[in-house]
Amino acid sequence: MARKKVSVIGAGNVGAHTALWVAQKEIADVVLVDIMEGMPAGKALDMMEAAPVEGFDANISGSNDFKDIEGSDIVVITAGLARKPGMSRSDLVGKNTAILKSVIDEVVKYAPNAILIIVTNPLDIMVHIAWKLSGFPAERVIGMAGALDSSRLKAFMGMELGVSIENISAMVIGGHADSMVPLKRYSTVGGIPLPQLLPDDKIDALMQRTKTAGGEIVALLKTGSAYFAPSAASAEMVEAILKDKKKVMPCAVYCDGKYGLDGVYVGLPVILGAAGVEKIIEIELDEGEQAAFDNSVAAIRKLVGELTI
Ligand code: APR
């Protein structure tokens, strides 16, 4: 049986590391595409030369020609500008919208049956644009946000409690912005909800750190933004889909009816499998959680409403 094919558009920090995680885990063959001449081919070759050391069998190739994404099962889009210090995600909208438009045209042409995973920020807007411009059914256009935000929360929980990350589960819903909603009642350690393990002030600090985790890394790096965790989270989604794992995880999905919402992409818990988003899971939110979620949705709607696509 031939291996599955994943194309990663944008061979920068996030794209290249996504390719490496996917290949290293032998999830699929990977095609890296970028507009920078030679760069994706160079990175792909470098990774292929690492394969004998790491012992993985998967092909990684790089190209400047979108024709090479033909027949992809999944296309991960990371093309765009990364956030610089002092730059908000919203500042990126104009530039990354133009890039996304050109990429989506090529994806529709060469990989019309692929599942799209959008990584480019500002995520909530980019995924909405990708869905609209591609004309693909919403279950095949998914935003990578909750996988990353919940992984960050899990990491902070592990650091605070000094326990194995294997015991930790966490849920972050809403937008991929400071208004995101980490849910303490649905974040657990060995099945025990966080409020039973830590006092409120400690939990609040973890939640706050999660909301600003991207910015924390931007400030430390000084140039560019996070890429190890974003690429790992992207690869997690690729694996859930290609292995049809039916994994329950938060993703930015098109909400039409659930949670009393319609016509908006927002982070929610879903079942991720071979068909893409196979189900949006409705969880009970208390008053405070609902208010925070409503606030996050309103922020997304405002940004999407300002678009002129
Ligand atoms: N087609 C293909 N690739 C493109 C295009 C295009 N039209 N336009 C830009 N690119 C490429 C750039 O050449 C660059 O190599 O996208 C790549 C982006 O890589 P980086 O600048 O390293 O940015 P990265 O850190 O990978 O972040 C990419 O992911 O997490 C988000 O906020 C982040 O939106 C950003 C994206």
Side-chain angles (χ1 to χ4, degrees):
M1 200 176 74
R3 272 192 292 267
K4 298 277 189 181
K5 177 171 176 177
V6 174
S7 291
V8 180
I9 315 303
N13 281 333
V14 178
H17 284 85
T18 301
L20 187 57
W21 292 111
V22 168
Q24 209 167 5
K25 292 181 174 182
E26 299 183 334
I27 298 167
D29 288 335
V30 183
V31 177
L32 264 175
V33 177
D34 202 288
I35 47 168
M36 299 254 295
E37 212 193 317
M39 183 270 262
K43 289 193 179 180
L45 187 58
D46 197 7
M47 288 182 218
M48 286 300 279
E49 291 166 6
V53 179
E54 288 295 310
F56 59 85
D57 286 306
N59 282 319
I60 312 163
S61 57
S63 175
N64 298 121
D65 188 348
F66 276 88
K67 195 173 182 318
D68 291 325
I69 74 169
E70 209 157 12
S72 298
D73 297 288
I74 294 183
V75 177
V76 180
I77 301 181
T78 76
L81 301 179
R83 201 153 49 120
K84 304 224 165 57
M87 202 177 180
S88 76
R89 285 192 180 95
S90 316
D91 294 337
L92 288 172
V93 175
K95 290 196 164 98
N96 284 352
T97 300
I99 292 171
L100 189 65
K101 274 184 182 167
S102 69
V103 170
I104 293 290
D105 284 348
E106 305 282 358
V107 172
V108 169
K109 191 164 155 198
Y110 292 114
N113 299 315
I115 291 175
L116 300 188
I117 297 176
I118 310 302
V119 182
T120 306
N121 276 314
L123 192 277
D124 306 297
I125 302 175
M126 291 300 134
V127 67
H128 195 105
I129 294 173
W131 166 69
K132 235 180 168 165
L133 295 179
S134 66
F136 288 6
E139 65 271 17
R140 281 206 282 127
V141 184
I142 316 165
M144 192 292 292
L148 169 62
D149 298 326
S150 61
S151 182
R152 284 172 165 160
L153 175 54
K154 287 177 209 173
F156 299 146
M157 287 165 65
M159 291 174 201
E160 177 66 33
L161 289 158
V163 296
S164 166
I165 47 103
E166 286 180 24
N167 289 137
I168 299 177
S169 179
M171 182 59 66
V172 180
I173 62 170
H176 186 52
D178 298 349
S179 68
M180 72 179 70
V181 187
L183 295 173
K184 61 184 173 191
R185 296 188 305 139
Y186 294 101
S187 297
T188 61
V189 178
I192 307 159
L194 200 50
Q196 292 182 34
L197 296 166
L198 282 175
D200 277 349
D201 59 330
K202 286 254 163 68
I203 294 176
D204 289 347
L206 295 184
M207 302 296 169
Q208 188 52 35
R209 191 173 182 194
T210 302
K211 291 182 192 182
T212 56
E216 183 179 0
I217 289 181
V218 168
L220 287 166
L221 292 180
K222 310 238 171 22
T223 58
S225 51
Y227 51 94
F228 289 112
S231 57
S234 303
E236 181 186 20
M237 291 175 67
V238 169
E239 183 173 33
I241 293 166
L242 292 185
K243 293 189 179 169
D244 193 23
K245 286 178 79 85
K246 317 283 187 200
K247 200 162 184 177
V248 176
M249 56 194 293
C251 296
V253 290
Y254 189 70
C255 199
D256 216 4
K258 297 271 171 69
Y259 288 85
L261 295 173
D262 53 6
V264 67
Y265 263 90
V266 62
L268 289 168
V270 305
I271 296 176
L272 205 55
V277 175
E278 300 194 345
K279 187 181 181 186
I280 296 175
I281 299 173
E282 283 194 276
I283 54 173
E284 174 262 323
L285 299 176
D286 68 20
E287 216 173 293
E289 292 160 349
Q290 185 68 51
F293 181 67
D294 290 346
N295 176 49
S296 195
V297 171
I300 296 170
R301 281 204 196 275
K302 183 169 180 294
L303 288 171
V304 171
E306 288 163 5
L307 290 173
T308 51
I309 55 154

